[in-house]
Amino acid sequence: MNIYAIIVGVEHYDALLDHIDIELDGPASDAVRFASWLLGRNVPPANLHLFLSSLDPAAQRAELNKSPRGAEVPIRDATRDQIEAFFNNELPTLARTPSILYMLWGGHGVIRGGREQHLFYSNFRKGSPLTFKVEDRQSQLLAIGNLSVQHILI
């Protein structure tokens, strides 16, 4: 069984929220540790899709490079454009056999209406309706015809 992972760690946000610094210290490090853990369990680097907005990008790359084959894992920006492009263009082509898909997202988010879970991209702007809506993505993953995922863990 193949294992794939979508790993997002957002520490740095492009905008302030009501003049409050909303940066976090930790989600990018957590994302890199999870990617390293998967690499240590022989998950191929090509199966890891890592999106970061780090307070210290060089430190995150250096930490990932310590893992077996860590240097082979590309780090993409945790922006709306990058993540949307992945979900809409790359994800549908990934798993052709029964697979496990892990998704880890560390960063800010909100719950709207008591039910809807929305996660913020690194380029989130206050008042923007453009967030990563967890329920819609779960539905998208289940609807991809050629994506043979047996388990989705978010």
Side-chain angles (χ1 to χ4, degrees):
M1 183 168 300
N2 292 318
I3 296 176
Y4 294 89
I6 303 164
I7 308 167
V8 181
V10 184
E11 295 178 340
H12 172 75
Y13 294 85
D14 291 347
L16 298 176
L17 194 58
D18 291 329
H19 304 286
I20 298 170
D21 182 358
I22 61 170
E23 291 185 343
L24 297 171
D25 187 9
S29 297
D30 293 342
V32 167
R33 278 194 295 274
F34 186 60
S36 296
W37 181 80
L38 290 168
L39 289 167
R41 274 130 194 92
N42 299 315
V43 175
N47 292 11
L48 303 183
H49 304 277
L50 184 59
F51 300 87
L52 298 180
S53 176
S54 176
L55 295 174
D56 189 349
Q60 299 309 326
R61 172 44 77 189
E63 187 63 30
L64 185 60
N65 288 352
K66 292 178 187 176
S67 300
R69 300 182 70 193
E72 297 175 42
V73 178
I75 297 176
R76 298 185 238 188
D77 291 332
T79 61
R80 179 183 184 276
D81 290 345
Q82 290 286 316
I83 294 170
E84 291 290 321
F86 171 78
F87 267 86
N88 294 325
N89 302 324
E90 293 179 54
L91 183 61
T93 67
L94 290 183
R96 305 270 186 220
T97 61
S99 304
I100 295 174
L101 174 64
Y102 290 98
M103 183 169 169
L104 173 79
W105 190 301
H108 285 296
V110 296
I111 296 177
R112 292 184 180 151
R115 302 182 100 172
E116 294 181 356
Q117 300 173 51
H118 295 261
L119 303 171
F120 296 161
Y121 302 105
S122 66
N123 57 342
F124 168 79
R125 299 274 192 260
K126 183 181 177 187
S128 171
L130 303 175
T131 59
F132 183 95
K133 186 176 174 190
V134 174
E135 294 80 8
D136 288 351
R137 292 307 180 170
Q138 287 175 314
S139 297
Q140 178 186 8
L141 291 170
L142 295 172
I144 295 173
N146 64 344
L147 187 65
S148 180
V149 174
Q150 289 185 333
H151 304 284
I152 301 171
L153 308 165
I154 299 179

